[in-house]
Amino acid sequence: MQLLLNAIASAAILAPAAIGFTLIFTLFRYTNFAVGALMTTGAFAAWGMNELGLPIWMGGVFAVVFGAGLLLASDRIVFEPLRGRSGGTLLLVSIALSVIIDNVIRFAFGTQIRAFDLPLRPPLTFAGLRFTPETLWVIGISILATLAVGALLAFTRLGRALRAVADNASLASIRGLPVPRIEAAGILLAGALFGLSGTLAGLDLAIEPNLSLALAIPVIAAAIVGGLGSPLGAALGAVIIGLAEELTVAFISAPYKGAVGFVVIALVLLIRPQGLLGRPVERK
Amino acid sequence: MDAYLVAILTTAAVYVILALALNIQFGLTGLMNFGVVGFYGVGAYTSGIMTETLGQPILLGMLAAIVVGGLAGGLVSLLSIRLSGDFLAIVTLGFAETMRLAFNNEDWLTRGPRGFLIMTRPVIDGLGRGATAWFILGVFVLAAIIVFVVLNRLAGSPFGRVLRAIREDDLVPATLGKNVLAYRLQAFVLGSAAMALAGSLYAHYVQTITPDNFTTQVAVLVWMSLIVGGAGNMKGAVVGALVVTAIYEGTRFLAPLMEFLTPTQVSALRFIIIGTLLIVVVRYRPEGLLPERIAPRSRPDPVPAAG
Amino acid sequence: MKLSRRLFISSAAVTLAAPAYLRAGLAQSAPIVIGSMTPLTGGGGPYGPEKSDAHRAVVAQVNAQGGVMGREVQLISEDSETNPEAAVRAARKLIDADKVSAILGTWASSVSLGIMPLCQEANVLQVFSGSSDYLPDGDTKGLIFNLQPLNKAWAVALADLAVQRGFTEVAFAGPKNDFAASMGESFAASLEKLGGSIVGEPFYYNPGQASYRAEAEHLIRMNPPAIFVAGYVTDFVPVYRELIRGGFTGQIITLSFAVGPAFKEAVGDAANGILHGSPVPPIGKDSYETYLRLVGIEPSGQVQNSFGCMAYDEMNLCLLGMEAAKSTDSFAVADAIRKIANGPGERVTTFAEGKAMIEAGTAMNYDGASSSVDFQENGMLKSRDFALYEVKGGEDEIILTTTSDATQ
């Protein structure tokens, strides 16, 4: 049980970003490796506000806004002119973008670690389970975000439009949907989720410009395992990755934890190439 | 300065081989192997274990690297046979990361994070420092030329044309009775074996290898080389590797012009410049410096996925 | 093909022209060129800048006071990226393009070892801080000096301090890197010699992860009375957080460089009670405080810049060695460094003091900011003082000291 709770706590950090990642993927069909760098930026943004004396939640709000703005800006500058290029090219470009973002942070803030002004406390115990209020907050916020995005996509006009554009942009355009504006909304939403995840990650990790790779891989793994295109799938994928990691450390070998995400991806893709909750995506 | 250029050209030769190897996988066949560094590392360690632990001559080390690298490539290819596009990229990236963890944790075989010392070098004894460096460069350039000639010939052969056809649309060769999976497997194995050869050369050149030598960063440089040079064109791969090495090394010399920045900032700026250059090239010269010379329709940047 | 030829020529020209221009600039004033290679990115990122700052500060001061042998010292900084692959390329540039006489400041043992074949081949002096027990093996020419004691010495001292403090049953955890991996083995052996034992197997984790919750949970389940976590600040912060949030109530022992000011700011009051040990930068000693003030830090009586102070000594020793040898020839400089570092002679703590001794023809003994700096024949330290601190009220309070003899 404790393992499951821990897995959920780890998953809660990754889930919003995984949903954001899957959103970008369904809209534009490419793997945005810069997700890690954008999360790191989110953590730095939230930390910056916290450092100015604002409470962490306000820092988080700022990180969400900042993340949305940054992703939209990077899309306008970098990705928009490259629409229609192959997935490989865009993946490579997103890696380059990630390198740029990391080093802009390094340039501006140096390499020393940062942290939120957050008291570190021992856990509460309930029914034999150990947890801290922070953990509950993180899980709560993450579930809320997941449900909110899920509801947005399922029930609102914007959500339906987003799905229509993701399915077939040209058809959506013919049907009179303002495709560029809908795409922009999707990008803003994804960026906001990256900012949120970054803030949550900052509660656990030492905030430094070297986090990108460590964050990007499990997020992408969660999104693929859950089935690209499905927000709930991405959240579920995050839990599965988290659980697989917990089990690896507990029963197999801790240093190989880094490989777990990939093994799970390979297995899932072998058995069910569309991911757990995904629909088959028509792709080259 | 001459010694420096020799050293840089030696490293560049390794990258040339890696870029050529990736070109047969991605450039010709469209297979997105982001695990370049995994095969490269397997080659380096195999060769090192062969010559140091088992005391075999260096040629046997290289041969073993090629065989094991090819086998690893076959295995990864079979495992991911149904995958394409960025899914294959993620799985191969995972392979590379798993290999790095194995290098780091299987101390009995690789000496783990302490590093594997390699005394065997591809030189004849008794040369001075300068002559040794030139000799190694000669060996590496020769290896790069051999790889280039072999792969370039393959690219122009009927085999190469089938690979290109698979890249554009695997249904067409399939309907023509070609076994697409077998072709994909062969391309992947061939490329992986060449990457392992590059690893073997590198290991005997630097003489100490640690798991940190085989991080994703190397794969990114190789990908940059191929995209900048022109995917699908073997000459492009060579040019790309040389240009990327020149940029990577050339930016070092900017430091004295920026005394007002801290060394950390200078270092960060270097990476910002490198990243920006890549994006600029991709945007304004999408086919690379040396585009593939076939019908304009079949560019290395094919039809986007449905959407 | 036309394009490629043009590109070849122009890129070759750029590569050639830049250094040639630099070389022409140097020839006029003929400065002494020294390479500073520190980890500015990668795993060593939090520690590299203090090393490179120390190098710069010493060189600026020495140049202001008239240089070495009357020549200006030119410092060329390169980023090792905490990665031997990148470091080897950077070292190539320093050695073959900049023609440095020495490379100072490497931090990760994999980097120091990685560039060692190049330095040995080109007779370039290496002065660095590293703790891998394998470091001396790569040097056949007597051209390396290491300001950090080797792993074995750390393990002996820290096990001794833990036992003195009453902890005989200690679990070990650390990232799977060269440093912690050898530390785990030697720490277990040292603890057993003192009648204690390691709880379970030494536990290694992978640094650079998105979460360390599973690792902490594993340690908590072992339920040891104390855990020695041999991490760096980037992984120690999350591991420590998860241990506390997971309800671990035993003693946590770590290394001082993991719990510097950045760590204390990160976890606040929860840092209290941590025991940490390290080779002592001699807190309160004049040489250490001179260094801190030189880089613009007010001494706080705490462990500050535990790597920067070694970089300060690296540069002082290298420059004093050159001044004393009246040469930049690595072998002569290395001989001079041995004499200056080990004495006997009058105590000096800065380049200026040492230069005065050299001019007066008096023998000297360099006493550094990081230690008294006495080397064995193989360039490793003879001994170093270790201390065990407890964090109390957000401050380091020294509780025990021991001297670890590294010559055994």
Side-chain angles (χ1 to χ4, degrees):
Chain A
M1 270 320 276
Q2 184 73 43
L3 282 185
L4 188 62
L5 179 66
N6 288 351
I8 291 173
S10 300
I13 293 171
L14 305 176
I19 295 170
F21 175 85
T22 211
L23 210 57
I24 293 293
F25 187 90
T26 41
L27 279 174
F28 305 112
R29 298 283 189 279
Y30 72 92
T31 301
N32 192 341
F33 208 83
V35 49
L38 292 163
M39 285 171 73
T40 310
T41 314
F44 266 91
W47 167 80
M49 289 298 115
N50 188 219
E51 189 71 3
L52 291 177
L54 297 177
I56 295 175
W57 69 265
M58 283 178 73
V61 171
F62 178 72
V64 164
V65 174
F66 193 81
L70 183 63
L71 186 61
L72 188 65
S74 64
D75 185 77
R76 287 288 174 265
I77 299 167
V78 178
F79 294 108
E80 193 176 27
L82 303 177
R83 293 265 197 274
R85 297 295 190 83
S86 72
T89 310
L90 293 176
L91 174 55
L92 188 69
V93 164
S94 72
I95 291 176
L97 177 65
S98 174
V99 170
I100 295 173
I101 295 175
D102 282 353
N103 283 287
V104 168
I105 297 175
R106 184 172 284 124
F107 190 95
F109 293 97
T111 46
Q112 195 48 263
I113 65 149
R114 324 275 162 165
F116 293 132
D117 183 15
L118 175 74
L120 181 57
R121 283 174 303 212
L124 312 167
T125 309
F126 180 75
L129 283 180
R130 287 169 280 118
F131 56 88
T132 59
E134 292 89 333
T135 316
L136 293 186
W137 274 108
V138 167
I139 295 176
I141 290 172
S142 182
I143 290 178
L144 210 66
T146 306
L147 293 179
V149 174
L152 183 101
L153 289 180
F155 305 122
T156 65
R157 253 181 58 205
L158 175 63
R160 278 192 294 272
L162 269 170
R163 283 185 297 148
V165 171
D167 277 347
N168 190 333
S170 40
L171 191 65
S173 175
I174 292 167
R175 278 170 46 202
L177 288 170
V179 173
R181 270 174 50 205
I182 294 165
E183 285 179 345
I187 292 167
L188 285 174
L189 183 59
L193 289 166
F194 294 157
L196 175 63
S197 260
T199 310
L200 299 181
L203 297 172
D204 279 1
L205 296 170
I207 303 171
E208 46 139 0
N210 213 20
L211 290 176
S212 297
L213 192 66
L215 293 172
I217 286 173
V219 166
I220 295 175
I224 292 182
V225 168
L228 290 161
S230 157
L232 288 177
L236 182 68
V239 175
I240 289 173
I241 298 283
L243 199 58
E245 289 188 347
E246 295 282 332
L247 292 174
T248 309
V249 173
F251 301 110
I252 305 175
S253 159
Y256 279 105
K257 188 171 120 176
V260 170
F262 292 114
V263 174
V264 175
I265 294 182
L267 287 178
V268 168
L269 289 180
L270 264 182
I271 301 161
R272 208 181 140 78
Q274 69 272 37
L276 291 180
L277 295 189
R279 296 168 300 149
V281 181
E282 194 194 321
R283 42 183 302 114
K284 167 81 174 105
Chain B
M1 197 58 212
D2 296 350
Y4 173 60
L5 277 185
V6 170
I8 294 313
L9 284 175
T10 309
T11 321
V14 174
Y15 277 86
V16 165
I17 298 177
L18 288 172
L20 287 168
L22 184 63
N23 198 22
I24 195 147
Q25 295 178 337
F26 174 72
L28 292 188
T29 326
L31 297 171
M32 291 189 47
N33 177 7
F34 262 80
V36 175
V37 79
F39 302 103
Y40 179 58
V42 164
Y45 274 100
T46 305
S47 193
I49 290 165
M50 219 42 199
T51 59
E52 307 309 307
T53 318
L54 303 176
Q56 300 299 316
I58 189 163
L59 277 175
L60 220 56
M62 290 183 188
L63 197 67
I66 293 174
V67 171
V68 176
L71 283 177
L75 212 66
V76 171
S77 181
L78 286 175
L79 267 175
S80 53
I81 203 117
R82 286 159 60 186
L83 305 179
S84 59
D86 12 17
F87 284 168
L88 182 63
I90 300 289
V91 168
T92 47
L93 190 69
F95 164 75
E97 184 63 12
T98 310
M99 288 323 297
R100 194 181 65 78
L101 290 176
F103 301 149
N104 203 34
N105 290 297
E106 303 307 317
D107 298 39
W108 58 276
L109 189 62
T110 64
R111 290 168 45 90
R114 273 158 220 177
F116 195 96
L117 277 174
I118 294 169
M119 301 318 290
T120 320
R121 303 175 74 186
V123 276
I124 40 177
D125 288 335
L127 295 178
R129 179 173 184 249
T132 305
W134 279 101
F135 192 94
I136 294 179
L137 175 62
V139 171
F140 279 34
V141 169
L142 187 68
I145 290 174
I146 293 172
V147 172
F148 174 79
V149 168
V150 170
L151 294 187
N152 201 32
R153 188 150 294 181
L154 270 180
S157 72
F159 176 75
R161 282 195 289 277
V162 177
L163 295 185
R164 285 197 171 93
I166 292 174
R167 180 188 72 198
E168 297 309 323
D169 185 351
D170 50 14
L171 284 177
V172 177
T175 42
L176 290 175
K178 306 285 183 192
N179 184 343
V180 171
L181 293 183
Y183 275 96
R184 279 180 56 166
L185 180 70
Q186 284 167 23
F188 205 86
V189 167
L190 211 61
S192 306
M195 288 169 189
L197 170 66
S200 164
L201 292 171
Y202 176 74
H204 293 286
Y205 172 56
V206 292
Q207 296 190 277
T208 318
I209 48 174
T210 65
D212 292 344
N213 285 93
F214 307 103
T215 51
T216 312
Q217 196 193 345
V218 175
V220 173
L221 286 178
V222 177
W223 269 92
M224 275 179 71
S225 303
L226 193 59
I227 299 284
V228 168
N233 184 332
M234 289 293 166
K235 288 186 191 110
V238 175
V239 171
L242 294 175
V243 168
V244 167
T245 307
I247 293 171
Y248 187 86
E249 291 298 325
T251 43
R252 287 186 197 288
F253 294 95
L254 298 176
L257 310 176
M258 297 183 286
E259 286 288 344
F260 50 93
L261 297 176
T262 68
T264 313
Q265 288 174 321
V266 173
S267 157
L269 205 56
R270 239 185 101 211
F271 289 107
I272 295 172
I273 292 171
I274 291 171
T276 311
L277 275 176
L278 175 72
I279 294 177
V280 167
V281 169
V282 169
R283 173 154 176 194
Y284 294 103
R285 203 163 169 87
E287 294 167 347
L289 297 171
L290 295 186
E292 196 175 7
R293 277 179 303 170
I294 32 176
R297 214 172 51 78
S298 40
R299 299 182 317 171
D301 229 343
V303 209
Chain C
M1 262 333 275
K2 250 181 198 156
L3 176 77
S4 81
R5 204 166 295 127
R6 221 168 34 205
L7 199 104
F8 255 114
I9 294 164
S10 55
S11 62
V14 168
T15 335
L16 279 167
Y21 154 78
L22 290 175
R23 194 172 38 185
L26 303 188
Q28 291 172 340
S29 53
I32 294 169
V33 191
I34 300 207
S36 158
M37 194 195 290
T38 53
L40 303 175
T41 48
Y47 303 110
E50 67 186 52
K51 292 200 78 168
S52 97
D53 287 349
H55 289 158
R56 276 191 158 194
V58 174
V59 168
Q61 194 182 36
V62 168
N63 280 336
Q65 294 162 349
V68 174
M69 299 180 278
R71 290 159 68 184
E72 188 198 345
V73 179
Q74 189 190 359
L75 187 67
I76 299 187
S77 296
E78 285 289 334
D79 179 4
S80 77
E81 299 175 38
T82 330
N83 179 317
E85 206 270 341
V88 163
R89 290 159 167 248
R92 283 281 174 205
K93 184 241 178 194
L94 287 174
I95 294 171
D96 291 327
D98 299 320
K99 310 277 183 211
V100 296
S101 310
I103 296 181
L104 315 188
T106 49
W107 177 85
S109 297
S110 60
V111 166
S112 300
L113 276 168
I115 68 167
M116 214 175 276
L118 314 184
C119 294
Q120 292 279 308
E121 195 183 39
N123 295 331
V124 166
L125 190 70
Q126 273 183 281
V127 192
F128 53 84
S129 61
S131 54
S132 164
D133 292 327
Y134 298 89
L135 282 167
D137 300 350
D139 172 51
T140 53
K141 295 182 166 177
L143 293 181
I144 64 170
F145 292 97
N146 183 1
L147 274 294
Q148 184 87 300
L150 299 186
N151 247 309
K152 248 191 283 171
W154 290 65
V156 170
L158 292 169
D160 181 35
L161 295 169
V163 170
Q164 281 193 50
R165 179 77 179 180
F167 295 103
T168 50
E169 304 283 310
V170 184
F172 177 88
K176 180 78 197 224
N177 60 27
D178 176 49
F179 176 72
S182 346
M183 180 71 90
E185 291 163 29
S186 340
F187 183 74
S190 308
L191 202 59
E192 265 156 41
K193 250 183 226 161
L194 299 165
S197 69
I198 276 276
V199 181
E201 291 281 309
F203 176 78
Y204 299 106
Y205 55 84
N206 210 29
Q209 301 189 133
S211 155
Y212 295 85
R213 204 170 272 116
E215 285 78 2
E217 185 65 26
H218 182 85
L219 290 168
I220 292 167
R221 272 163 198 263
M222 287 162 68
N223 195 23
I227 306 178
F228 173 29
V229 186
Y232 294 124
V233 67
T234 41
D235 51 276
F236 184 68
V237 167
V239 167
Y240 185 69
R241 278 200 189 127
E242 297 306 339
L243 282 171
I244 298 299
R245 288 180 185 161
F248 181 72
T249 49
Q251 178 66 50
I252 289 173
I253 305 172
T254 187
L255 302 160
S256 301
F257 57 65
V259 291
F263 171 82
K264 290 181 187 112
E265 206 185 313
V267 303
D269 290 344
N272 292 335
I274 293 180
L275 291 177
H276 60 94
S278 78
V280 193
I283 291 172
K285 197 164 157 182
D286 57 347
S287 51
Y288 181 53
E289 297 195 340
T290 308
Y291 151 67
L292 287 175
R293 293 210 172 88
L294 180 68
V295 292
I297 294 175
E298 196 45 39
S300 64
Q302 304 287 304
V303 180
Q304 295 159 294
N305 289 26
S306 44
F307 290 100
C309 59
M310 283 185 262
Y312 174 82
D313 289 341
E314 288 163 11
M315 186 58 78
N316 273 334
L317 282 173
C318 175
L319 298 184
L320 274 175
M322 289 174 174
E323 182 75 48
K326 294 288 174 220
S327 156
T328 54
D329 171 71
S330 296
F331 295 99
V333 176
D335 283 340
I337 289 179
R338 271 183 207 99
K339 288 199 192 93
I340 293 164
N342 292 14
E346 231 169 292
R347 176 177 185 265
V348 298
T349 60
T350 62
F351 179 82
E353 288 172 19
K355 192 177 175 191
M357 294 290 161
I358 293 166
E359 274 157 15
T362 327
M364 65 176 124
N365 183 2
Y366 178 76
D367 195 8
S370 63
S371 73
S372 59
V373 192
D374 294 313
F375 292 114
Q376 306 173 51
E377 249 336 280
N378 64 3
M380 301 298 118
L381 285 181
K382 270 186 180 163
S383 70
R384 211 164 146 187
D385 292 339
F386 281 76
L388 188 68
Y389 301 86
E390 181 172 352
V391 182
K392 278 185 184 166
E395 308 257 296
D396 298 321
E397 193 168 292
I398 195 155
I399 37 183
L400 290 166
T401 54
T402 181
T403 299
S404 182
D405 182 356
T407 54
Q408 291 168 348

